[in-house]
Structure formats: C-alpha cells, structure tokens
Amino acid sequence: MTSKYPGPRVRISRDRNLAWWRRILPVMASHRATFLLAIGLSFLSLVFQTLVPNMLNGAIDHDLVRHSTALHSDVVRILIVGLLAGVSGIVSRQYVFRTAYNVEADLRSLIYEHLTWLSFGFYDRVQSGQLISRANSDIRSVQMYSTFAPLILVQCCIGVLAFGFMLSISPLLACIAMTVMPILYFVGIRMRRVMFPISWITQARLADVATIVDENVNGVRVVKSFAQEEAEVNRLADAAERVAWAYVKDAQIRGKWSPWVQNLPQLGLALVLFFGGWMVIDGHLGIGAILAFNAYLLMLQAPFMMLGQLVMMGQRARASAERIFEILDETPEIMERPGAYDLADVRGSIDFDHVRFSYSDDAEILHDFDAHIEPGESVAIVGRTGSGKSTVARLVTRFYDVDDGVIRIDGHDVRDVTLPSLRDHVGVVLDEPFLFSISIHDNIAYGRPDASPEQVEAAARAANAHEFIERLPEGYGTVVGERGYTLSGGQRQRIAIARTLLVNPPILILDDATSSVDVHVEAGIYEALNRLLAQRTTIVIAHRISTIALASRVLLLDEGRVVASGTHEQLLASTPLYAEVLAQSTKPEED
Amino acid sequence: MAWGGGWSGGGAMFGSSQVAGLPFGGIPSELMDEATKLLAHEPDHPPSDLTFTQRPSERERQRLTLARLIGAYPKWVVSGSVLVIVTSLILQAGPLLTEYAINHGMVAGHRSLGVVAACGIGYLVLALASALLQRVQVDVTGMLASRVMHDLRIRVFTHFQRLSLDFFTDEKAGVLMSRMTSDIENLQQLIQDGISQFAAQGLTMIVITAVLFWLNATLAAWTVLLVVPLLFVISIWFHRASEKGYLLSRDRIANVLADLSESLYGIRVVTANNRQRRNIRNHRHVVGAYRDANLYTGRVNSIYGPATIMIGILGQGLLLGIGGDMVLKGHLSLGALVAFFLYLNRFFGPIQLLVQQYNALQQGRSSIIRLRELLEVPPTVDEVEGATELATIEGRISFEDVSFGYDDEHLVLRHINLEIASGESVAFVGPTGAGKSTMAKLANRFYDPTSGRVLLDGVDIRTVTLRSLRSQLGVVPQEAFLFAGSIRSNLSFGRPHITGAEIEEAIDVVGLRDLVDRLPQGIDTVVHERGQTLSAGERQLLALARAFLARPRVLILDEATSSLDLQSETTIERALDRLLEGRSAILIAHRLTTAQRADRIVVIDRGGVVEMGTPGELLAAGGAYAAMFDAWLASGGRDSTRPDDEQTD
C-alpha cells in the first residue's frame, strides 16, 4: 500500500489579491489528472442514479397502471443501471480521496518547507504552538473544502439533470416543486454571513485554552514550586468558560438557520403531494410521477443540504486558509542576494564595520559596533547583561541582518555569500542547547549526517562528553528524552559543542556555551578546544574568567559598542570599566 | 483584503488575554464588525472561583463515562432526547400521508381533492413543526455539549495539576496537549451532533421498518431480507477496515506533528547546521507515510458509500419486480407500493448517515478511553488521607537516612543523613549527576524518597498538604521558565495579589532595574515563549525575583546562577544576602563563588555525602572540596583567586 510521495510540485499563488481558493488552485491543478477523472466518473455515477426515478415512474405508469409494457424488462434495466452507478461511484471516489490526500500532503510539505526557511525574527514573534495547531487543523479544513467542494458542485449539476427530468414529466409541477430551492439558497447565504465570525471566535478561544495547557505542562515545575495549581485551574476555567459561550452561541446561530435548510425540501414534497395529487385527479399526471418527484426532490435535497454544509466548510476553510497564508506570505527576512556566491577557503578574518542593530521594534542593541578579528585569532567578548554580546554571534551567521554597517568574512560581506556556505564556515554553539529526540549519535552528527561513528566519538571526546555518553544505558544510541533519560543542562551543552565541533568550521563562536558545565569539566573542554582552536578563528562569549582566559584578546562591549580591546592584562591595566565589570565578580562585598 | 490585519490588534477582545498584541492574535478585518456585534452580547463571565485540592473529590474519582458526563445535566438530556424522538417520528409521516392520498384520493374510483388537500396541508404543517423542533433541539444539545465539555476540561486539567513531576516528561507534553484539545473537541462534536444524529437516524430506521410491516408484511419481509443482510455484511467489513485505517493514520499524523514541532522548536539549530533541505526531505517521508495511511482509509470509504447506493438501486429494482407483481395480482395497493419506494429511499439515507457518524462515535469513544486512562493515572507523589497543614516553619530541614532512585535499579542517593538548621545556608557541590539536584527535589516533594524521611521542623513532609509545604519553599530552577505575559504577571505568579511597591522592591533587589528601564513598556512588557527579548541571565534574574516575592521560608537555588554573566552573577551574589535574610537555603552550584558564600558546604559524590563543613574548614582539610577548589582556581586563571576566598583560608 505504500507508494512514494514525491513532494509538492507547485507552490500556492503569491498574488495576495486573489481569492483564497484561487491562491490554492495551483496545488489542485497539479493533481488535475486524478481530479478530473474523479469529477468525471462521479458525474457519470450520479447520472445513472438520476435515471432510476424516471425509470420507476415509467414502469409504474406503463406496467402497473396501464399494463402496456412488461414488468420484468424494466426491472432488468434498473438492475443494470444500479450496477453501473455503483461501479463508477466506487472508482470515482478512489480518485477523489487520492486527490484530497495528495493535496493535504502537498500543503503540509509546503508549510513545513516555508517554515524551515523563515528567519529567527519570525520565530521571536510567533508562538510555535500556534503554528503547529495551524499546520494541523487548518490544513485539514482547507483540504476538505478544496476537494469536496467541486464534488458537491457536481452533485448540483445532477440537480440540473434531475430538474430536467422533472420538467419532462410535468413543467408546472416541476416549477412548483422547485419554489423552495431559491429560498434554500438565500437561507444559505444568510447563514454564511452569521456563521463565519462565530466559528472564528471559537477557534481563537480554543487556541487560548491550548496555550494555557501548553504553558502549564512546560512550566509544571514553576507551578508546583509556587503551589499555584488553584490559580492555574481558575485560569483555565475562565478560558474554558469563554469557549463554552462561543459554542453555545455557535449552536444558537446554527439552530436558527440549519433546520430551515433541512426542512425546506420537505415543504417541497408537501407541495408535490398537494398539487401533484390535484393534477392526478384531473388526469394530467400519472401516479408514478408523484413517486418520481419525491425521489428527485430527495435527490436534490442531498446537494442542497451539502450546499449548506459546503457553506460551513467554506467558512472554516477560508478562515483556515487565511491563517495558512499568513505563514506562507511571511517572507524570510534573511535572503540570499541574487548572484550570491559560495564562501570558500575561509582564512577566518572577521570585520565588524560600524554595525548597528535592533531586534524588531526594540531599542537599538548595537550602536556603531566596530571590530576586526584576525584569522586564527581567539577573541572573548565581555560585557554586562544586555550589552549585546550574544547579538554579535547571531549577526555573523546572519541569523539576523544588521540595520546598518557591514560584517565581512575574509573581506566578503556576509550578505553577498550563500547562506549554507556561510553557516558551514561559521559554527555557533548557542546559549540554549536544544537537542532533538533522536539518538545522541544523530544529535552530534546533526550538521554532518554522514559522519562515521569514530568522527562522532572524537567530537564527543573533544567536548568532554564521551564519558557520560558511554555511561548511558544505550551509549550513543540513547534517544534523547525517551524513557526519562533526561540530560542535565551541562550534558546538553557538551553535546551541543560536540555537534558544532564535528562540522569543524574555520570560525567558531561559543555563545555562553559552557555555562552549565562543571568547572573541572569545562577545564577539560577548553584544554581540548585549545588544541582545536589553534588554527581557527574563535569568538567566545562568556561570563567566567576561566573561559575568558582562553582568548588571546578581549573585546569589552558596553552600550552596544566596543569600548576597549586588548589582552586581558592590558585591559585590566588600562580600562577601569573592564576592571569594574570583572571586579564586580571578583569582589563581592566583604562579609 | 487585509490579511495583514491578523498580525496585530484585536487579540485581547477575542479572548487572547495573555497573548494580546502578539502576532496571530487578531481577526480578519472584514469580519470585525459582525464579530464585534456578536461579542457585544457576550455577558461578563464572572471569574472562576474553583478550589484545588490535591486529593480528588468523590465525584472526581468516579470512572469517566459518557453517560456520567452528560448525566450531570438530566434536564437537557431528557428534553434533547424527547425532541430527537418527536422530530424523527414527524419526519417519517410524509410517505404515509402520500400513501393515504394516493389510495383514498387519486386512484380510479377514489378521487377526492379534499383528501389530497388535507394530506398536503398536513404534510406542510408537519414539516414546519419539525423545523421549529429541530431549532430547539440544536440549542439544547449545543448547551449540553458546551457545559459538559467545560466540566471535562476543568476536570482533566485539574488532574494534570495533581500529577507528579515524573509524569511531565518531554515526550508526554504532546500527549497531554492532545488530550486537552483534540480529544475534548472530538467529544464536543460527538455530544453536540453525533449522538443526537445517531439516535435520530437509528430511530428513523426502526420506525420505517415498523411501518413497512404494517403496510404489507410479505413485501416488508422481502425488502428487509434482500437488503439488510447485504448491508450488514458490508457494514461490518467497513467498520473493521476503517478502524484499522483510522488507527494507522492517527499514529502517522502524530509523527507528522512531532516532526514539525521539533523542527520549529529547534529551528535555530536547524538553521545553524544547514539542515533545512535534509529536514524537508525527511518531512516528506513522514508526510508521505501519513498520506498512504489516509489513502487506505480513502479506499475503504470509497467502496462503502457507492456500494450502499448500489444496493439501494438494486433493492428498488427488486421491489419493483416483486411489489409490481403483487399489485398486478391485486395483493397490494398502488399507494402502498409507492410508500414502499418512498420509505426504501429514506431507509438508505439514515444508514449512510449512521456510517458517517460511526467514525465520529468511534473517535469519541477512543477519546473517552484515552481520557479515562489519563484520569486514572495516580500521582506518584500524593497527599496522605487527612494530610495536615504545615504551620509556618522555622526552616529546619532534616534528611534522615534518605535513599532515592528514579528507577528501581539505580539509586541516585544512598543513606543521606543531613541536618540544616533554620536560617542556615548550605551549598551542595559535587560533579554532575552526583545527586545534588535530587536532594532539592526531595525537599519540596517533587519526588518521595525510596527509603528514609525528609523532615521540615521535625515534621515528615509526607504528612502535610503539598500546598502548605511548597508555598513555604521557594525554588529557582536552572532553566527559568517564564509564562507568556507581562513581566509583572510573571513576577506576581506566586502571589497574584501582590502590590506594585513590592514588585518594584524585588526588581531593585535582584538588580533588574536596568532591564526594566530599558524596555519600552517597562514592567508591563510582554515576554514571549522563546523570544529573544530577554537573555538567559535576565530570565534567571526574573525567576529569582519571582521566588523572592513569594516570601518562602526556605530558598532552594538549583544551579540558578549557572547561566548568569559576570555582572548578573555579582548582582545576584549581592542580592543573595537580602534573599537569604532569615531563611534557610539550599544552594546548588557549579560555581564555587556561590558555594563559598554558604554557611556550610556539603560535598556530594556518587549519591553520598563525602565532606561537610564551613568553606574555611574544608579548604583547610585539603579533601575533595579543596581539590575541586584548586581545579576551579586553575581553570579560572589567577584572577579567580578571590580576595574573599583568601580570607577564608
């Protein structure tokens, strides 16, 4: 049953002025073969179905009332049409579902791919939980609609066919029977207008509940430490109350409209009985026609009821599509310039040329940051909290772009080179050591998936992680987070360091990368690093003097600019501020 | 169209109080008017005033069943059921009226416009009546569903609060989330539409069968015999196959979401390692597997639907053959045959709807089972029957022969005996994995010792309520967790009704003044989930201030200073004096700077106490601590030779 999934062939339309379904259309169109087959066959199947009431009408009037034809030949014909309707129906639905699920898979892949390329600025703004919920239910509702809407429209075509049969039996009765349908249509329109906002409000409130749960689960330690379970339960209860109101409102609005949608066809049947009966009495109509009209109206009821459902699905789908577009319309802030070239044979000089930077709307973090780092040099960046140290690390790899000024590697503006080549040459160990729920081996080999076990082990040794990994129940095969094998912050940091070391970048940035590691372990790591760093440009952002001591030069950062540069000793001697920053740690007030 | 409107504004009003102003908080602007109109009629919901007790009440301990859930609202259940029954009956009167109109108003010899008119008007009235009744029914079931789900949400969430820390592993976070969201939403659908639909359609089938037998037993027997066994067989096949497919695609969508969620949370690492293309390929595999599972379900569904339609048409053909023969032989009236056809049409609709609803029922049932299983998980750390309130403590902590292991095989702590006097600060030092943090987790009962006892002021902490225990202990964990919300709301987390002055004081004490002054909205600045607004150090300082504001009797800093930079650490060191004033404290530290401040140092290694004494004593003794301190000095360079360290020598 497994067939290979090749991934999406097209993207959605970039034109934001198009209606939502037209933006999705290219995805649908890329499956047009199966889709058209599905539509064609289901049309055929429905035609066979519509034939049946007319055949029954004829059979009753000719065979049973007037005894003019033989019963058995009509029976045989109906049986054959039934078989054809069934077979074509089965085949058509196969294709319907195939289209539907391929479209869904395409949308899922498109969103994932798009998210993958978005910049850090985006992730600073949005909550991942909300993205996941979109990727789940919103895709579902768009896919449902975009696939089933055309099918329901096919059913409506059948409605036209059925109406044609009714006209051929009795134009007058057909018109009377159809009077309810326009009303049905207007009720549907009105319903669309009132249902849409409430379904939106409901979804927004459900998302609030999800956020509370998510925070509660992730912050469980804090909740328990502060014994705030009761406050949390009440916080949830308030949110749940708002959801409950939205659901009640939703039901009230639906209750006001949907019974009419469902019962208007019954009114049509009543009209058929009354007027049709009258016409039978007057001899203008056979009794079989009553049966056929009944059947046709019931047949019409399905598409019209589905039209109501379609209206609701459409509301959901549109809301969902809008939220999906919000993601897909988000352009990566960090993009390669046209003509970007690969960074190669990096020697490792880094220039910060009058760099200015701020995170979105926040205050400027770096004002006129200016520094030059020689190939092979190791530099420590020291400064107070909020002085912009970590920001420097994030700019070199273009996780963010500078607002003004230039950063150059070997004289190349980082914005002129391709992103993969840049990030391949600049390795960053981030202050938050995120590990994936894959084996430790795979985590270390994350940037070099083809690395051999020996290479992985060597990196782990350099990061002083080999020993504790060996002690884990399944060594390098231990899956992070599984069966409660949780790692301490220091252990995670060491794996994160090994991960970067394995890539072996000519420029290495350690952003507070050993803050949770034991002091003696840290010493071991730096001993190993000292060997590795010999040929490598290194930027160390650190709080500990032990770490700072590793660097051959120190940049003192204050208020977003370099205020002093030199060896540790020079700065101690020359710059009171450096002494002050360090002194604050070396001289906690006397007891 | 202004999709962009969704990026800002409007959040608070639609319920996103804690994510107000964040992206995705808004509503598309073209819907704003209608939505605002709706919300204008929303009453003010009084703030919830629920009490939380660690031990569940009698009612909460009852087994979770659908019947019990909806049974809490008997009035609505009864009126909902009556409405469903009445509307189903009314809806089936149509064909009978048609039969009567044909036999007594249309066939030769019985022509009567009066009968036809009466039947037609009767039909009309019944259709109107059923519309009105349905309206009430939708209201009632909507009300029922939303109240029941409101109860269930609170019940499940309350249970989360009772569960112990060991339950909240990373892998379970997603599971817990889907219990509170998709499972409960499944049930919402089920109660609102599913059950009433199911009942209505089932009832319809029974009514129709009865009427058919009343009209003509022989033909009814034929009809039922020809159609029902076939439908029965194909339905059983369908149920089995679709259940299999449903389980398969549920597992696979879970993989899709897990892959997505990890990629999002780890996006920074993904980007830094250039893994985008590889991850995209991998995601395609996962999505492809999910699609294949869906295709299987699709195949099953595509056979069932048309097959039932086919059986319907074949049934009509045979009915024509058999019933037509009976009419020709005069054994059946023409009106009755027409009624048979009409009912046969109506017989299949409900069957298909029943099958449609079957999936919803299936999902609802497994949701109930999953929720029940979750609700039946007992907390591993629980209050004993009749636990007492722990009175305000002095802060004496005793570990009496405490051993502990996270699993049965490996003990992390072995026979620990330790006494911490009230007001004393004790630093736990030792290598990673030695069991330092575990000691802290035992003190506030995140875990219970495998053997031995932990006492506070001489009271075994297992005999007191968790709330009275934990509200007197303040813990600052290694990784500061902040809730989405303002700095103010985060700081007042432990004591929601705290005054502004106290918050300002705490900000000064931990040295956050600079940060707060720097932020555009100061103390009301919203901190994001993983946003970069705050550095790790700043988050940690906030966590400290939060603990400070909770005024605990005992303070536990679990490597709380590890991610601080030099300056923040200095600030903290200074603040510690204020924080520790009159309190006992357990300081778990990698950095010996922090340890040196403590009244006493306890060196823990391999689950046991190796050494214990004042910093001066231990350095003088030249044992394990002195060796660690030397290593610390060596690695920290000469600058770490701190003046106060020397003083202690």
Side-chain angles (χ1 to χ4, degrees):
Chain A
M1 61 175 281
T2 306
S3 49
K4 257 200 148 345
Y5 172 61
R9 277 171 280 179
V10 292
R11 321 192 66 83
I12 67 156
S13 163
R14 290 218 169 279
D15 185 353
R16 295 188 192 195
N17 297 318
L18 291 178
W20 72 269
W21 60 272
R22 291 200 43 200
R23 299 195 64 185
I24 302 232
L25 204 59
V27 179
M28 301 289 298
S30 72
H31 297 286
R32 59 181 162 275
T34 49
F35 184 64
L36 293 177
L37 208 57
I39 299 259
L41 281 171
S42 54
F43 188 78
L44 201 64
S45 161
L46 287 163
V47 168
F48 287 130
Q49 286 181 49
T50 23
L51 286 175
V52 175
N54 201 37
M55 293 165 81
L56 278 177
N57 172 31
I60 287 176
D61 280 353
H62 300 139
D63 305 344
L64 302 185
V65 179
R66 281 184 245 152
H67 308 290
S68 55
T69 48
L71 184 61
H72 70 267
S73 61
D74 278 320
V75 171
V76 171
R77 261 187 285 153
I78 288 176
L79 293 181
I80 291 171
V81 168
L83 281 171
L84 289 174
V87 171
S88 54
I90 288 173
V91 179
S92 75
R93 290 208 188 183
Q94 303 267 7
Y95 285 105
V96 170
F97 285 115
R98 185 171 299 181
T99 318
Y101 293 126
N102 276 321
V103 167
E104 183 184 353
D106 282 358
L107 287 177
R108 285 188 188 281
S109 298
L110 282 177
I111 290 203
Y112 181 90
E113 289 167 23
H114 192 78
L115 284 171
T116 304
W117 297 109
L118 285 181
S119 313
F120 286 22
F122 173 80
Y123 288 98
D124 294 346
R125 285 202 310 276
V126 302
Q127 294 185 320
S128 305
Q130 290 201 334
L131 290 179
I132 294 164
S133 105
R134 273 170 207 227
N136 194 20
S137 47
D138 287 340
I139 291 179
R140 210 53 240 235
S141 73
V142 168
Q143 166 257 317
M144 292 263 282
Y145 186 73
S146 55
T147 320
F148 292 106
L151 273 179
I152 294 173
L153 290 178
V154 166
Q155 291 241 340
C156 291
C157 296
I158 297 312
V160 175
L161 205 65
F163 185 57
F165 277 119
M166 283 159 72
L167 280 177
S168 76
I169 296 171
S170 160
L172 180 60
L173 192 57
C175 292
I176 291 172
M178 287 301 283
T179 46
V180 293
M181 294 303 168
I183 307 177
L184 205 58
Y185 176 75
F186 285 112
V187 168
I189 296 274
R190 177 66 200 150
M191 196 162 146
R192 163 167 35 200
R193 200 166 307 144
V194 289
M195 285 302 294
F196 192 81
I198 190 65
S199 77
W200 199 95
I201 291 171
T202 310
Q203 294 213 14
R205 292 184 170 184
L206 283 173
D208 285 348
V209 167
T211 307
I212 292 175
V213 176
D214 184 51
E215 285 204 331
N216 180 269
V217 169
N218 286 314
V220 59
R221 276 163 195 271
V222 181
V223 173
K224 288 199 181 300
S225 296
F226 287 90
Q228 287 300 309
E229 290 92 343
E230 189 167 298
E232 286 288 290
V233 168
N234 280 302
R235 190 157 81 106
L236 179 98
D238 287 340
E241 187 65 49
R242 297 163 71 83
V243 169
W245 180 84
Y247 269 125
V248 169
K249 200 77 206 164
D250 185 275
Q252 282 173 354
I253 296 175
R254 219 152 32 94
K256 208 160 145 190
W257 297 98
S258 72
W260 297 112
V261 176
Q262 286 181 31
N263 285 289
L264 280 169
Q266 296 284 331
L267 290 181
L269 291 183
L271 291 175
V272 165
L273 182 60
F274 182 73
F275 289 100
W278 194 346
M279 290 160 82
V280 170
I281 292 173
D282 287 353
H284 299 305
L285 202 67
I287 290 175
I290 305 269
L291 176 60
F293 268 72
N294 256 288
Y296 282 129
L297 276 183
L298 282 177
M299 220 173 248
L300 279 168
Q301 182 188 350
F304 271 95
M305 265 170 74
M306 274 195 260
L307 214 60
Q309 211 184 336
L310 188 71
V311 167
M312 282 194 261
M313 273 166 71
Q315 291 163 0
R316 292 234 169 102
R318 180 171 160 191
S320 294
E322 280 166 11
R323 273 170 292 175
I324 290 172
F325 294 153
E326 276 184 354
I327 298 175
L328 291 179
D329 287 342
E330 189 67 29
T331 45
E333 287 141 41
I334 310 295
M335 295 226 271
E336 283 174 10
R337 281 184 181 163
Y341 52 89
D342 281 346
L343 189 64
D345 301 325
V346 170
R347 290 170 53 245
S349 80
I350 309 173
D351 275 300
F352 296 90
D353 190 354
H354 301 285
V355 168
R356 288 176 174 275
F357 179 76
S358 61
Y359 291 105
S360 52
D361 320 326
D362 292 347
E364 197 166 79
I365 303 275
L366 295 180
H367 324 281
D368 204 25
F369 177 78
D370 214 37
H372 174 76
I373 298 171
E374 289 292 326
E377 195 183 12
S378 63
V379 171
I381 299 182
V382 175
R384 296 196 176 105
T385 305
S387 57
K389 298 176 307 243
S390 293
T391 305
V392 173
R394 297 181 186 136
L395 292 177
V396 177
T397 44
R398 279 195 85 196
F399 290 159
Y400 300 87
D401 266 347
V402 297
D403 295 339
D404 196 21
V406 185
I407 296 174
R408 294 190 193 86
I409 290 176
D410 286 0
H412 304 285
D413 185 338
V414 290
R415 287 167 298 187
D416 287 340
V417 300
T418 57
L419 285 171
S421 72
L422 173 68
R423 289 170 185 160
D424 247 0
H425 287 92
V426 185
V428 192
V429 187
L430 296 164
D431 50 356
E432 207 180 341
F434 184 90
L435 300 184
F436 296 89
S437 328
I438 48 182
S439 72
I440 288 185
H441 173 278
D442 290 347
N443 263 298
I444 295 177
Y446 198 72
R448 285 278 179 278
D450 326 316
S452 69
E454 293 73 29
Q455 287 171 311
V456 168
E457 195 186 308
R461 279 184 195 280
N464 228 308
H466 177 70
E467 275 181 36
F468 85 79
I469 295 173
E470 286 284 85
R471 279 204 304 272
L472 291 174
E474 282 150 65
Y476 284 86
T478 307
V479 173
V480 174
E482 206 173 68
R483 277 167 295 182
Y485 295 146
T486 44
L487 300 170
S488 72
Q491 290 171 328
R492 297 172 90 88
Q493 284 192 333
R494 282 184 269 168
I495 292 176
I497 292 172
R499 176 164 66 194
T500 305
L501 288 181
L502 182 66
V503 176
N504 197 20
I507 297 174
L508 182 65
I509 301 177
L510 299 168
D511 183 4
D512 210 3
T514 50
S515 57
S516 308
V517 176
D518 280 5
V519 174
H520 62 276
V521 175
E522 189 191 28
I525 295 175
Y526 282 116
E527 190 193 328
L529 284 182
N530 257 330
R531 269 182 283 118
L532 295 164
L533 298 188
Q535 331 76 357
R536 207 185 293 262
T537 309
T538 314
I539 298 178
V540 180
I541 292 153
H543 306 134
R544 296 184 187 170
I545 295 193
S546 55
T547 323
I548 296 167
L550 183 79
S552 53
R553 189 155 62 100
V554 179
L555 293 180
L556 179 61
L557 204 58
D558 194 45
E559 314 234 312
R561 56 171 67 83
V562 178
V563 290
S565 153
T567 65
H568 176 64
E569 290 78 7
Q570 284 168 348
L571 286 190
L572 266 186
S574 67
T575 314
L577 179 67
Y578 183 65
E580 196 188 309
V581 169
L582 294 187
Q584 281 169 335
S585 78
T586 51
K587 269 187 235 140
E589 66 268 32
E590 315 291 318
D591 292 331
Chain B
M1 304 217 184
W3 313 129
W7 285 103
S8 59
M13 164 171 210
F14 297 96
S16 319
S17 51
Q18 70 285 77
V19 290
L22 289 186
F24 298 131
I27 184 167
S29 55
E30 69 270 24
L31 292 171
M32 207 67 179
D33 288 348
E34 197 76 34
T36 314
K37 239 186 283 168
L38 272 174
L39 289 173
H41 297 295
E42 178 168 14
D44 286 331
H45 306 296
S48 305
D49 189 20
L50 301 165
T51 35
F52 171 82
T53 51
Q54 174 64 26
R55 297 191 69 79
S57 67
E58 227 17 82
R59 236 187 100 214
E60 286 172 311
R61 243 175 284 174
Q62 282 180 344
R63 208 172 136 82
L64 180 75
T65 60
L66 201 55
R68 276 213 186 94
L69 272 178
I70 61 174
Y73 299 92
K75 255 197 298 192
W76 283 331
V77 173
V78 170
S79 50
S81 313
V82 169
L83 285 166
V84 166
I85 293 170
V86 174
T87 38
S88 310
L89 289 176
I90 290 180
L91 274 172
Q92 295 320 316
L96 265 187
L97 285 171
T98 310
E99 182 253 5
Y100 191 83
I102 291 174
N103 281 348
H104 301 276
M106 294 185 217
V107 289
H110 290 93
R111 299 223 157 139
S112 156
L113 190 56
V115 169
V116 170
C119 288
I121 289 165
Y123 201 163
L124 210 70
V125 169
L126 287 177
L128 283 170
S130 104
L132 289 173
L133 289 174
Q134 272 182 20
R135 170 177 179 168
V136 182
Q137 184 238 309
V138 172
D139 268 13
V140 168
T141 47
M143 199 88 87
L144 175 67
S146 77
R147 287 332 296 176
V148 167
M149 288 309 118
H150 181 258
D151 294 351
L152 187 61
R153 278 200 174 90
I154 292 173
R155 180 167 169 189
V156 173
F157 191 76
T158 305
H159 187 71
F160 284 6
Q161 310 311 307
R162 294 196 176 106
L163 288 170
S164 311
L165 204 62
D166 56 356
F167 193 80
F168 292 85
T169 55
D170 293 348
E171 56 176 327
K172 291 220 177 93
V175 175
L176 291 175
M177 190 72 185
S178 70
R179 295 293 166 279
M180 271 300 287
T181 53
S182 52
D183 280 330
I184 288 183
E185 280 154 40
N186 275 348
L187 287 173
Q188 166 97 31
Q189 288 299 324
L190 182 64
I191 295 178
Q192 194 165 316
D193 300 326
I195 295 180
S196 56
Q197 278 279 341
F198 212 78
Q201 305 305 341
L203 205 62
T204 302
M205 284 177 59
I206 293 169
V207 169
I208 292 176
T209 315
V211 173
L212 289 183
F213 270 94
W214 177 70
L215 283 174
N216 184 308
T218 321
L219 194 56
W222 271 112
T223 312
V224 171
L225 208 67
L226 285 172
V227 167
V228 170
L230 210 56
L231 271 180
F232 191 61
V233 169
I234 193 170
S235 297
I236 286 179
W237 166 80
F238 175 75
H239 292 171
R240 287 197 184 144
S242 71
E243 174 146 345
K244 185 179 149 200
Y246 174 68
L247 290 176
L248 197 65
S249 58
R250 206 191 62 194
D251 285 352
R252 296 202 175 157
I253 186 67
N255 292 342
V256 171
L257 293 181
D259 191 52
L260 175 68
S261 127
E262 270 222 326
S263 304
L264 292 186
Y265 284 116
I267 190 76
R268 291 172 177 85
V269 179
V270 172
T271 308
N273 283 287
N274 287 327
R275 276 280 294 229
Q276 295 96 331
R277 282 174 212 287
R278 202 183 165 88
N279 284 8
I280 286 172
R281 272 203 304 280
N282 185 51
H283 195 72
R284 281 184 189 170
H285 287 307
V286 184
V287 166
Y290 169 58
R291 179 202 64 162
D292 292 340
N294 277 337
L295 286 181
Y296 170 79
T297 315
R299 269 194 288 274
V300 172
N301 281 319
S302 56
I303 293 173
Y304 184 74
T308 13
I309 292 175
M310 185 167 74
I311 294 173
I313 297 178
L314 298 185
Q316 290 183 43
L318 294 174
L319 194 60
L320 179 67
I322 300 165
D325 196 47
M326 289 168 83
V327 171
L328 289 176
K329 289 184 178 144
H331 298 159
L332 186 74
S333 71
L334 193 56
L337 180 63
V338 170
F340 260 92
F341 278 116
L342 295 182
Y343 277 123
L344 192 71
N345 272 335
R346 290 167 173 240
F347 204 52
F348 283 87
I351 288 179
Q352 279 170 291
L353 278 173
L354 275 178
V355 171
Q356 247 179 43
Q357 291 299 329
Y358 184 80
N359 259 353
L361 272 181
Q362 192 90 326
Q363 288 182 19
R365 209 186 55 186
S366 45
S367 288
I368 275 274
I369 292 172
R370 286 197 294 267
L371 285 167
R372 184 188 299 151
E373 280 170 359
L374 177 67
L375 287 174
E376 284 170 3
V377 172
T380 49
V381 173
D382 205 358
E383 273 172 18
V384 291
E385 194 80 50
T388 53
E389 294 284 315
L390 181 63
T392 309
I393 52 167
E394 296 285 319
R396 186 155 46 84
I397 311 167
S398 327
F399 290 84
E400 279 188 8
D401 195 32
V402 168
S403 297
F404 176 78
Y406 290 98
D407 53 50
D408 295 338
E409 290 161 32
H410 307 93
L411 282 184
V412 180
L413 296 175
R414 294 190 189 82
H415 305 292
I416 300 270
N417 280 292
L418 181 67
E419 186 87 19
I420 298 172
S422 73
E424 188 187 19
S425 60
V426 173
F428 291 169
V429 299
T432 308
K436 302 178 303 254
S437 292
T438 308
M439 295 273 288
K441 285 175 187 148
L442 293 178
N444 74 344
R445 271 199 94 197
F446 275 172
Y447 296 92
D448 276 338
T450 313
S451 67
R453 300 195 298 167
V454 180
L455 311 166
L456 273 183
D457 282 13
V459 180
D460 186 335
I461 59 173
R462 279 174 298 199
T463 63
V464 299
T465 61
L466 287 172
R467 187 197 178 105
S468 69
L469 169 70
R470 287 177 184 154
S471 61
Q472 302 197 46
L473 298 171
V475 184
V476 185
Q478 184 177 356
E479 276 164 44
F481 182 88
L482 299 182
F483 293 88
S486 65
I487 290 182
R488 185 198 299 279
S489 68
N490 267 292
L491 288 181
S492 56
F493 185 75
R495 278 170 59 213
H497 304 296
I498 209 159
T499 66
E502 282 178 283
I503 293 182
E504 298 294 331
E505 185 202 350
I507 286 172
D508 285 326
V509 167
V510 301
L512 273 170
R513 180 57 60 196
D514 283 354
L515 168 75
V516 170
D517 288 345
R518 202 178 68 226
L519 292 170
Q521 279 111 19
I523 193 176
D524 292 310
T525 305
V526 171
V527 291
H528 299 191
E529 178 194 17
R530 264 161 205 266
Q532 305 284 313
T533 328
L534 301 178
S535 73
E538 287 161 345
R539 299 166 81 90
Q540 200 55 265
L541 289 175
L542 278 177
L544 270 166
R546 179 167 64 189
F548 175 72
L549 282 169
R551 311 238 153 132
R553 297 298 308 142
V554 175
L555 192 65
I556 300 173
L557 302 188
D558 188 355
E559 303 198 9
T561 52
S562 65
S563 44
L564 298 181
D565 56 20
L566 289 174
Q567 208 218 341
S568 314
E569 193 183 355
T570 314
T571 320
I572 287 294
E573 297 282 333
R574 219 178 285 145
L576 272 183
D577 284 344
R578 279 293 299 282
L579 292 169
L580 300 183
E581 219 167 82
R583 302 193 165 98
S584 321
I586 296 177
L587 312 171
I588 295 164
H590 282 310
R591 299 197 182 179
L592 299 188
T593 357
T594 315
Q596 285 288 111
R597 303 189 60 83
D599 297 329
R600 194 150 51 113
I601 291 177
V602 176
V603 181
I604 296 174
D605 196 5
R606 288 161 214 265
V609 174
V610 182
E611 268 190 330
M612 195 174 351
T614 66
E617 284 168 9
L618 292 188
L619 286 179
Y625 181 70
M628 282 171 69
F629 196 74
D630 284 344
W632 160 261
L633 288 187
S635 69
R638 60 191 162 77
D639 291 295
S640 318
T641 317
R642 305 177 170 205
D644 61 341
D645 294 341
E646 283 161 4
Q647 279 169 13
T648 55
D649 277 341

